[in-house]
Amino acid sequence: MDGATFLGRQARAIRDKGLAPSSVHVPTFHAPMITVDTRIERALHLPVSVEDAWAFLIDVPRWGVLYPHVASFQPLPEAGDIAYEWTMEPLGPPGVRVVVEYACRYHPDPETRTMRWEPIPGTGNAQFGGLCTIGSDGSGGTTGSLRVDAVLGIAAPRLFRAIVRPTVEFEMGRMTDLFVERLVAEAEL
């Protein structure tokens, strides 16, 4: 229980026991929403042909589950050809743990070998977009770049405002690095 919830319950208990007049307003405490936007960019090298890497990249369910802390990953057929809703496991320190939910629509471009994704508005508490572009490394493998843009709304006490942004940026970078490691390992199979 956070401090605001505790104080609100204590104030109501005092009023309900008759220790304060019933006209006393018991405030409802809500943590303010902190909006964090971040961009993560990574280079990648996959030890497979461009054709195999492209087949892997356009198979969103195959690589989607490789991202750390994915609790569920569901298709959204009503949102278009390639659209998915993501729910992450609770993330963050005790007292400020957040379940991140969002949805994306994916747009593969076989000519440029670019997979672009964009947020589907009105779904969850975050918006994710980005792209991954791949090409031949000249020796039978694949090289590429990955960019992830995220906007997250996090309910947290003002006290945490100064640490939320750097913590989110650090965690997003760490999880993206782990995703790239898993992507390389999966591509080798």
Side-chain angles (χ1 to χ4, degrees):
M1 174 184 327
D2 65 8
T5 302
F6 175 77
L7 290 174
R9 286 183 181 172
Q10 292 301 310
R12 278 190 281 292
I14 290 170
R15 184 189 65 202
D16 293 346
K17 288 182 181 177
L19 301 174
S22 60
S23 62
V24 171
H25 172 69
V26 178
T28 302
F29 295 94
H30 297 283
M33 190 64 69
I34 299 171
T35 301
V36 178
D37 59 337
T38 187
R39 171 174 280 182
I40 306 295
E41 296 178 300
R42 297 293 186 263
L44 23 122
H45 184 267
L46 302 174
V48 297
S49 71
V50 174
E51 292 76 20
D52 289 345
W54 180 247
F56 183 68
L57 186 59
I58 63 173
D59 187 355
V60 178
R62 185 171 168 203
W63 60 258
V65 296
L66 300 176
Y67 206 83
H69 304 291
V70 173
S72 69
F73 181 76
Q74 302 296 321
L76 292 173
E78 67 277 7
D81 290 341
I82 308 174
Y84 292 91
E85 182 175 30
W86 299 66
T87 302
M88 308 300 281
E89 296 169 349
L91 301 168
V96 193
R97 294 180 68 78
V98 176
V99 173
V100 176
E101 298 174 311
Y102 60 97
C104 294
R105 188 172 293 112
Y106 297 83
H107 306 280
D109 182 347
E111 289 183 27
T112 62
R113 303 223 192 239
T114 298
M115 173 67 91
R116 183 176 53 84
W117 56 95
E118 63 187 10
I120 298 174
T123 304
N125 59 351
Q127 294 184 353
F128 279 76
L131 59 89
C132 184
T133 301
I134 60 171
S136 174
D137 69 359
S139 63
T142 300
T143 188
S145 62
L146 171 68
R147 186 185 83 212
V148 178
D149 296 311
V151 178
L152 294 90
I154 299 172
R158 292 189 198 282
L159 173 68
F160 290 118
R161 183 176 295 271
I163 63 169
V164 167
R165 179 176 303 281
T167 301
V168 167
E169 288 174 350
F170 174 80
E171 282 301 310
M172 284 289 300
R174 185 185 67 76
M175 290 190 321
T176 302
D177 289 340
L178 184 54
F179 169 69
V180 170
E181 288 176 24
R182 290 176 175 176
L183 193 65
V184 170
E186 180 71 16
E188 291 176 331
L189 296 178

